[in-house]
């Protein structure tokens, strides 16, 4: 049974991906649309997968809701509309058996089908299984669920006379138990091997059309939007207050914050629209994932530029500018393709092989970026230590620690994600699957907060700036940051203090050199 379901799941995902490309303006999600979908030969039957979603049980008060037509009426169901089956002319002349519509919860998957002699898993009742199970040959082998004898649900659709079509009356199946539900269409008659189907099914949760696996993300993006709003307020107040001292690096941070806020807000609107209509317009979802891909690419370039010491130990990137931009554009394309495949018009997980082809380029670029970032960061730390710039060195050490924690957390989480999906092939832990997506947004926001804290605009922002004086010391940097913006009357007094300090430095040069060497050794 597992191999049979694995086959039709893979086939469905491939067919579904092809279906998505056919919709230019609107694609359907919780409203599953089938357009002349063919049946696939699996074992001793012909299968067409109608989808799978996590559905929360109907609320007790939903039996007589005050607003029965509202999407928030507390009812959960799977409804069929305009389902039509077409058989060939030859099959119509010969006569055929019925088409079976099966709805089952993932925990009851073994209640459908059985093993015939030779170990073959069969969904349709065979002559051998009829002797063992007592089923009727040519029908679906079904055993009642341990929790509800009415499940799995099987609806039969029969062709009338020599008609080439058969219709499933519009009806709904109420969901009274929370679980991952699957819908399959099965034909046991060999004469129906070339049959195809059209129509649609509507899957609804008590609070709307948003699949149960995605429902928590709507609230999550509310909190993420509020978090970005708080960060934006704090950052932009500092940004406006010390506008004359803002560095180019801080302009880039501002752009990342703005993109992050825009992305979180768009995700929230996308899920609200999805929940209210059951559809995911391609244009809106593509805009959301594109903004996300741009934000990810710029964020990584920002981290790379900071690690290379841009504006701190070097005024420009020089000959590396074109390479950095090329890498950023390549990462944007890889991330865009992966996100479009995963989110645009889809609710089911992308099949393993298809996702692997898209994840590999993204993972490779991430690994290459991490290697380049830490190599550049190590070189920048060496240069700052050689210049004895203690203020900048302290900032970069804190940044490197935060970056190391982020990378380690990412590797650990990737391992957990692989384990989570490998040990849950039927998505039975769908209620906690949203955490997989949410973690990456939280991690990116946390690192952005660290960067904002370390490079916040202030009256001493110039201490981050590149200086051509190779021999400057931390004391000089702090003195310069304190003198910036002071009145001229105070400037003369501070200049005299600085001159006395220079005289003292010349008088005790040997002592200072020895103490600095000892400090370098301790560092």
């Amino acid at each position: 049974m597992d191999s049979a379901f694995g086959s039709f799941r893979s086939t469905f995902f491939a067919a579904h991906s092809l279906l998505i490309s056919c919709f230019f303006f609107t694609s359907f999600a919780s409203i599953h649309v089938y357009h002349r979908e063919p049946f696939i030969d699996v074992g001793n039957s012909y299968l067409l997968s109608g989808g799978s979603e996590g559905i929360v049980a109907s609320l007790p008060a939903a039996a007589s809701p005050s607003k029965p037509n509202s999407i928030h009426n507390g009812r959960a169901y799977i409804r069929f509309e305009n389902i039509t089956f077409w058989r060939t002319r030859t099959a119509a002349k010969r006569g055929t058996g019925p088409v079976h519509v099966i709805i089952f919860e993932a925990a009851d998957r073994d209640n459908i089908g059985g093993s015939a002699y030779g170990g073959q898993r069969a969904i349709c009742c065979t002559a051998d299984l009829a002797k063992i199970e007592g089923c009727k040959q040519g029908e679906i082998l079904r055993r009642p669920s341990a929790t509800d004898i009415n499940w799995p649900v099987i609806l039969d659709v029969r062709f009338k006379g020599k008609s080439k079509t058969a219709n499933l009356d519009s009806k709904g199946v109420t969901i009274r138990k929370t679980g991952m539900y699957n819908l399959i269409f099965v034909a046991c008659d060999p004469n129906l091997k070339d049959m195809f189907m059209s129509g649609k099914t509507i899957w609804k949760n008590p609070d709307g059309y948003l699949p149960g696996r995605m429902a928590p993300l709507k609230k999550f993006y509310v909190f993420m939007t509020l978090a970005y709003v708080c960060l934006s307020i704090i950052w932009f107040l500092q940004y406006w207050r010390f506008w004359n001292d803002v560095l180019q690096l801080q302009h880039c941070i501002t752009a990342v914050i703005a993109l992050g806020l825009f992305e979180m807000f768009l995700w929230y609107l996308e899920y609200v629209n999805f929940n209210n209509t059951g559809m995911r317009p391609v244009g809106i979802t593509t805009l959301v994932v594109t903004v996300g891909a741009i934000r990810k690419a710029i964020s990584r370039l920002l981290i790379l530029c900071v690690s290379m010491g841009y504006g701190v130990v070097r005024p420009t990137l020089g000959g590396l500018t074109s390479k950095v931009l090329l890498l950023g554009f390549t990462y944007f394309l890889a991330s865009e393709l992966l996100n479009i495949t995963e989110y645009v018009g889809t609710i089911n997980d992308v099949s393993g092989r298809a996702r692997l082809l898209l994840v590999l380029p993204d993972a490779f670029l991430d690994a290459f970026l991490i290697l380049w970032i830490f190599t550049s960061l190590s070189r920048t730390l060496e240069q700052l230590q050689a210049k004895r710039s203690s203020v900048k060195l302290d900032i970069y050490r804190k940044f490197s620690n935060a970056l190391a924690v982020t990378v380690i957390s990412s590797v650990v989480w990737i391992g957990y994600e692989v384990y989570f999906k490998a040990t849950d092939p039927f998505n039975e832990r769908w209620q906690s699957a949203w955490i997989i997506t949410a973690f990456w947004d939280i991690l990116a926001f946390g690192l952005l907060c660290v960067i904002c804290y370390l490079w916040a605009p202030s009256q001493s922002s110039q201490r981050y700036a590149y200086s051509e004086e190779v021999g400057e010391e931390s004391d000089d940097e702090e003195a310069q940051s304190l003198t910036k913006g002071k009145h001229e009357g105070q400037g003369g007094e501070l200049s005299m203090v600085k001159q006395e300090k220079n005289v003292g430095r010349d008088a005790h040069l040997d002592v200072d050199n020895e103490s600095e060497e000892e400090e370098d050794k301790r560092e």
Side-chain angles (χ1 to χ4, degrees):
M1 182 69 175
D2 291 345
S3 60
F5 277 104
S7 300
F8 80 73
R9 280 171 65 89
S10 300
T11 305
F12 167 70
F13 288 139
H16 190 63
S17 299
L18 180 62
L19 179 65
I20 293 166
S21 63
C22 298
F23 291 91
F24 294 97
F25 300 101
T26 303
S27 60
F28 297 85
S30 276
I31 300 178
H32 295 255
V33 176
Y34 321 100
H35 180 65
R36 302 183 70 86
E37 301 295 322
F39 281 65
I40 307 299
D41 186 3
V42 177
N44 66 344
S45 62
Y46 301 94
L47 291 175
L48 172 62
S49 178
S52 62
E53 287 187 24
I55 303 180
V56 178
S58 298
L59 300 178
S64 56
S66 57
K67 297 181 179 180
N69 296 325
S70 172
I71 62 169
H72 308 294
N73 56 14
R75 295 181 57 199
Y77 56 78
I78 300 175
R79 191 169 73 234
F80 302 91
E81 291 188 2
N82 303 320
I83 298 294
T84 303
F85 301 94
W86 279 273
R87 61 181 176 177
T88 62
R89 182 177 301 177
T90 303
K93 291 180 180 179
R94 293 178 180 177
T96 59
V99 181
H100 309 283
V101 182
I102 307 174
I103 303 175
F104 63 95
E105 204 262 325
D108 298 327
R109 59 185 176 274
D110 292 332
N111 292 335
I112 297 293
S115 296
Y117 290 115
Q120 180 185 4
R121 189 77 179 182
I123 298 178
C124 297
C125 182
T126 62
D128 293 331
L129 287 172
K131 297 177 182 178
I132 301 173
E133 302 284 349
C135 57
K136 183 179 179 181
Q137 186 174 352
E139 297 293 329
I140 299 297
L141 179 57
R142 170 193 178 275
R143 288 174 291 277
S145 170
T147 57
D148 189 345
I149 60 174
N150 296 319
W151 284 83
V153 173
I154 298 180
L155 306 174
D156 290 339
V157 182
R158 301 182 182 276
F159 291 89
K160 296 180 180 180
K162 295 184 179 181
S163 174
K164 293 176 59 179
T165 64
N167 298 315
L168 174 62
D169 295 334
S170 297
K171 61 177 64 178
V173 177
T174 302
I175 304 299
R176 305 187 186 279
K177 175 188 174 185
T178 299
M180 173 59 69
Y181 286 88
N182 298 267
L183 169 64
I184 57 174
F185 302 91
V186 181
C188 295
D189 193 331
N191 292 322
L192 294 175
K193 64 177 181 179
D194 295 322
M195 182 176 58
F196 53 89
M197 184 198 78
S198 294
K200 66 180 180 180
T201 56
I202 300 174
W203 306 57
K204 182 183 173 300
N205 269 288
D207 195 42
Y209 297 109
L210 197 62
R213 179 173 63 90
M214 297 181 179
L217 289 174
K218 187 176 71 170
K219 295 181 179 178
F220 168 74
Y221 283 116
V222 172
F223 289 109
M224 287 303 301
T225 300
L226 293 177
Y228 270 96
V229 167
C230 293
L231 178 62
S232 300
I233 292 174
I234 296 172
W235 178 266
F236 282 106
L237 284 176
Q238 292 292 102
Y239 192 76
W240 172 77
R241 183 181 176 187
F242 302 104
W243 171 257
N244 294 329
D245 297 317
V246 171
L247 305 176
Q248 188 69 29
L249 178 64
Q250 291 162 339
H251 290 311
C252 298
I253 297 174
T254 303
V256 174
I257 295 175
L259 284 171
L261 174 60
F262 189 43
E263 180 191 3
M264 297 300 108
F265 183 65
L266 284 179
W267 272 121
Y268 170 71
L269 293 181
E270 203 268 346
Y271 280 120
V272 168
N273 176 74
F274 187 5
N275 187 62
N276 292 337
T277 65
M279 297 179 290
R280 303 186 84 173
V282 170
I284 295 177
T285 312
T286 302
L287 173 63
V288 177
V289 300
T290 300
V291 171
I294 294 174
R295 193 261 307 167
K296 290 178 183 177
I298 294 179
S299 298
R300 282 157 176 76
L301 293 187
L302 172 63
I303 295 173
L304 178 59
C305 291
V306 169
S307 301
M308 296 172 72
Y310 171 66
V312 178
V313 298
R314 56 196 306 173
T316 65
L317 298 179
L320 295 174
T321 302
S322 58
K323 295 180 181 179
V324 170
L325 293 177
L326 178 61
L327 179 61
F329 181 73
T330 305
Y331 185 87
F332 163 75
L333 290 180
S335 181
E336 178 80 347
L337 289 175
L338 176 61
N339 290 339
I340 285 178
T341 305
E342 285 192 310
Y343 295 109
V344 176
T346 65
I347 54 172
N348 295 287
D349 291 332
V350 183
S351 61
R353 293 181 180 179
R355 191 175 189 277
L356 182 63
L357 294 176
L358 295 168
V359 167
L360 283 179
D362 196 71
F364 173 78
L365 289 172
D366 264 329
F368 180 76
L369 270 167
I370 290 172
L371 180 61
W372 195 356
I373 286 170
F374 277 99
T375 302
S376 302
L377 191 58
S378 176
R379 188 178 299 111
T380 301
L381 288 171
E382 292 177 358
Q383 292 177 359
L384 290 174
Q385 190 169 359
K387 289 183 176 182
R388 300 183 298 278
S389 301
S390 61
V391 174
K392 297 177 184 177
L393 186 60
D394 181 62
I395 292 174
Y396 266 82
R397 280 177 176 169
K398 291 178 180 178
F399 173 68
S400 62
N401 291 336
L403 201 58
V405 171
T406 302
V407 172
I408 294 173
S409 301
S410 299
V411 173
V412 171
W413 192 257
I414 289 173
Y416 171 75
E417 184 176 349
V418 172
Y419 168 79
F420 183 90
K421 293 187 176 182
T423 56
D424 188 29
F426 295 97
N427 296 325
E428 293 179 88
R429 297 199 297 268
W430 56 273
Q431 289 175 297
S432 57
W434 67 275
I435 301 175
I436 299 294
T437 301
F439 173 82
W440 298 110
D441 290 321
I442 295 173
L443 187 65
F445 179 76
L447 183 58
L448 180 59
C449 288
V450 172
I451 294 176
C452 291
Y453 171 75
L454 295 176
W455 279 276
S458 65
Q459 63 181 1
S460 57
S461 291
Q462 294 301 320
R463 65 183 177 180
Y464 315 133
Y466 169 78
S467 176
E468 296 181 354
E469 297 180 11
V470 179
E472 71 173 350
E473 296 182 359
S474 61
D475 291 340
D476 287 337
E477 292 178 342
E478 292 169 356
Q480 290 172 7
S481 65
L482 289 173
T483 57
K484 183 173 182 61
K486 299 293 184 180
H487 297 292
E488 293 182 359
Q490 295 176 336
E493 183 178 351
L494 290 173
S495 298
M496 293 176 63
V497 173
K498 188 174 180 180
Q499 289 176 0
E500 292 176 1
K501 184 184 295 182
N502 290 335
V503 172
R505 182 188 301 138
D506 293 335
H508 302 283
L509 182 61
D510 294 337
V511 177
D512 288 343
N513 288 336
E514 291 177 1
S515 63
E516 288 168 359
E517 290 176 1
E518 291 176 1
E519 183 179 354
D520 290 341
K521 291 178 180 179
R522 288 196 299 270
E523 292 176 349

